[in-house]
Amino acid sequence: MGRTKSTAKRAKQGKMQVEPPLQGHPMAKFFTNLADFNNYIMNFAPRKEITPRQDLLDFVRLRDYYYPDLVAIAYTSLTMEFEEVNSSSFTIFFTLGRNKYVLNVGSFCEISSLSWHGTLFKNGDKPPEDWNYDRNEACRFFNLDPNCGHKMPTNPMSDEHRLLHYLLVWVIMPRSHNHGVVMNDDLVIMRALRSDVNINWSYFIAHHMAKLKDGPTTSGLGYVILWTRIFKYFNIDFSNILQKSLKGPNCINCATLRQMGHGLAQEQPQQAQQDQAGPHEQEHQAGPSEHPSMRDMMQVLLRIEQNQANMDTHLTRVDQRLSRIEQYLKIEEDEDHD
C-alpha cells in the first residue's frame, strides 16, 4: 500500500511538472503540461511572425530585437478581458512556464508608448455617427473605385496615401497577406486618420492583438517588438532563446516601392546598387540616402497630428472667446439687476 500511495503521489505531482516528452525541447521550461505544449506546436509555432517593415510616432519608432518562439508561446496562452460595460479598460494575461503575467491598461500604455485617450474603436466596428463616415466619399478622397468590392488595389492612390496604408497594414494593424489592397476596414481607419479623428490606439491595438491570437494557423503573429518590450517589462530571461532583428536599415527603399507598385522613373544607379546590396552593406553605406525613408511615413503622421493640434488650438481660442462673452454678459446682467 505504501508503494501504491507513493506512486500515486508522484503521479499527482507529475501533473504539475513538465512531462517527459518535453524534456529535450529548448522551450520546455515555458510549459507545465503536454496539452499546452501540443497546442503551441500545432497552432502557434508554425505561424510566421509579422515583422514591422517600418515601425503613430513613438509607437512607430519602437526598435529592438524580437524573440519569435517566445512571441508564439505568449500568443498560445494569451487571454484578454475587456470591460465592455463601459469599455474603459482591459487586462492582458499570458503564461510562460509556471509564471503568469498580468498587464493592465496603465502598464500597456507605458510599454507601448501609447496614451489612453480618444474614441474607443476597434477594427471591424461600424464607424460612430459623429465620424460622418461615407464609404463613397472616402473612396473618392483616396482615389479608389468604390465598385471594386471589399478589396481595392492601392495603385490609384497617391504616394502619401500608399505609405499611410503601408504603415497601417504592417505596423498599426499588421496582417500577413493582402498588403497591396485596401480593405473596407482599412478605408475606415485611413479616413479617420486623415479627418483628424482621435482614436484610442491602446484600445485599438489590444483588440487587434486578440484578433491575431484567434486567427487561423495560416495567419501571422504581429507586434513582435511590442512583445519584446512586454517581456523586458517582466524581466523575462532571454538566455538561449532564438533572437532576431529587423532586416535592413530603417528606410523604405526603391525595391519596397516597386513591391508597392510604384514605377520609379530615372532611378539613380547608386539607388539601384543599394537595392541589390544586402542589409549589412546597406547599413554601412556613407552619405545621404535619396530613398524615401521612414521620415516620409513620419511626415504623414506628423501632418495629421499637426492638423489635430491646430484644430485643438482653434477650439481653445473659441472656448476662450465664449468664456469672455459669457463673462461680459454676466457683468451686463449683474449691472441690470443693480
Side-chain angles (χ1 to χ4, degrees), residues 238-256:
F238 295 131
S239 60
N240 301 320
I241 305 298
L242 176 64
Q243 171 183 282
K244 290 186 178 181
S245 61
L246 298 182
K247 295 180 180 179
N250 298 328
C251 72
I252 299 176
N253 57 26
C254 294
T256 303

Side-chain angles (χ1 to χ4, degrees), residues 9-23:
K9 185 177 180 180
R10 286 197 301 269
K12 186 176 180 180
Q13 290 175 343
K15 292 181 180 179
M16 299 300 294
Q17 299 173 355
V18 175
E19 299 184 33
L22 305 183
Q23 294 291 343

Side-chain angles (χ1 to χ4, degrees), residues 129-148:
E129 291 186 3
D130 59 357
W131 286 17
N132 298 316
Y133 175 77
D134 179 84
R135 183 178 183 275
N136 289 335
E137 185 279 330
C139 288
R140 288 195 297 271
F141 183 87
F142 291 109
N143 199 32
L144 297 170
D145 183 359
N147 298 316
C148 284

